[in-house]
Amino acid sequence: MSDKQIEFRGPDFRPAFSIPDGGNIAITFDDGEQVIRQCRYIDPFHLYVGSTVYHVDEFASRMARVGNTYAPETKPEMVDGYHIVHKMPARGLLFVMGHNPEAAQPWATWQGMKGGAGYKEGHFYAEKSSAHTDLAGRTCAHREGRRYEAYKPPKQKDRSD
């Protein structure tokens, strides 16, 4: 992280809060889903939120227009050394995705009880896209009341098979 600060403004264009470059904000959607996004400083008026570039005024207006709220991440939630970066609720459960750049498989997903403590049934991945696909698949399957099977690559046959 650099020593630059990213300033967020409210829909009224007044300063709301600031976070350090590379810091996280929690975005709460109208259906209650919370996504934690990393923010990167571009210049005093532009920032990356996730992979999208915003003008600081445009970001607040867009969040307000679609009914989202946003705030600085207060205390990072950790699971087995992984920083939780996405949360998706579904019918009483909460599905989360975490990141640990030091781990052999730096991306993981888990499920837990909404409002409860702890997570279980971890799935671990080398690629962020695979973990994101797993998170969405687990959440959608539970919302639709069906069983979810994580993708497993086909077993390689050895020459004696």
Side-chain angles (χ1 to χ4, degrees):
M1 283 205 250
S2 73
D3 59 350
K4 297 191 185 307
Q5 289 285 313
I6 301 170
E7 182 178 287
F8 286 84
R9 298 185 190 175
D12 60 359
F13 306 111
R14 293 184 183 172
F17 61 87
S18 64
I19 62 170
D21 182 23
N24 293 300
I25 59 168
I27 302 171
T28 305
F29 295 89
D30 57 354
D31 63 358
E33 294 181 356
Q34 184 181 58
V35 178
I36 299 171
R37 298 276 187 186
Q38 186 179 61
C39 301
R40 291 275 178 207
Y41 179 93
I42 298 174
D43 62 39
F45 300 102
H46 298 89
L47 66 146
Y48 279 109
V49 179
S51 60
T52 305
V53 175
Y54 291 97
H55 187 280
V56 292
D57 297 333
E58 175 198 7
F59 179 77
S61 298
R62 184 172 293 181
M63 292 291 111
R65 189 168 49 252
V66 297
N68 298 346
T69 60
Y70 59 96
E73 180 185 36
T74 53
K75 181 181 175 194
E77 184 176 3
M78 303 295 286
V79 175
D80 296 335
Y82 287 77
H83 175 218
I84 299 303
V85 295
H86 291 282
K87 298 179 179 180
M88 297 182 77
R91 298 175 51 206
L93 292 182
L94 183 64
F95 296 89
V96 299
M97 184 170 92
H99 181 239
N100 178 353
E102 305 298 319
Q105 293 180 301
W107 297 95
T109 65
W110 293 271
Q111 76 175 40
M113 296 300 291
K114 200 172 183 181
Y119 297 98
K120 61 182 182 176
E121 297 183 27
H123 299 172
F124 298 86
Y125 299 92
E127 301 293 325
K128 180 179 181 180
S129 60
S130 299
H132 198 270
T133 299
D134 183 67
L135 177 69
R138 291 175 88 168
T139 305
C140 289
H142 187 72
R143 284 181 180 159
E144 296 168 3
R146 58 184 170 81
R147 184 168 166 76
Y148 176 75
E149 294 293 329
Y151 171 76
K152 294 182 179 126
K155 185 178 179 182
Q156 295 293 323
K157 292 183 179 183
D158 64 26
R159 302 219 182 252
S160 64
D161 286 347

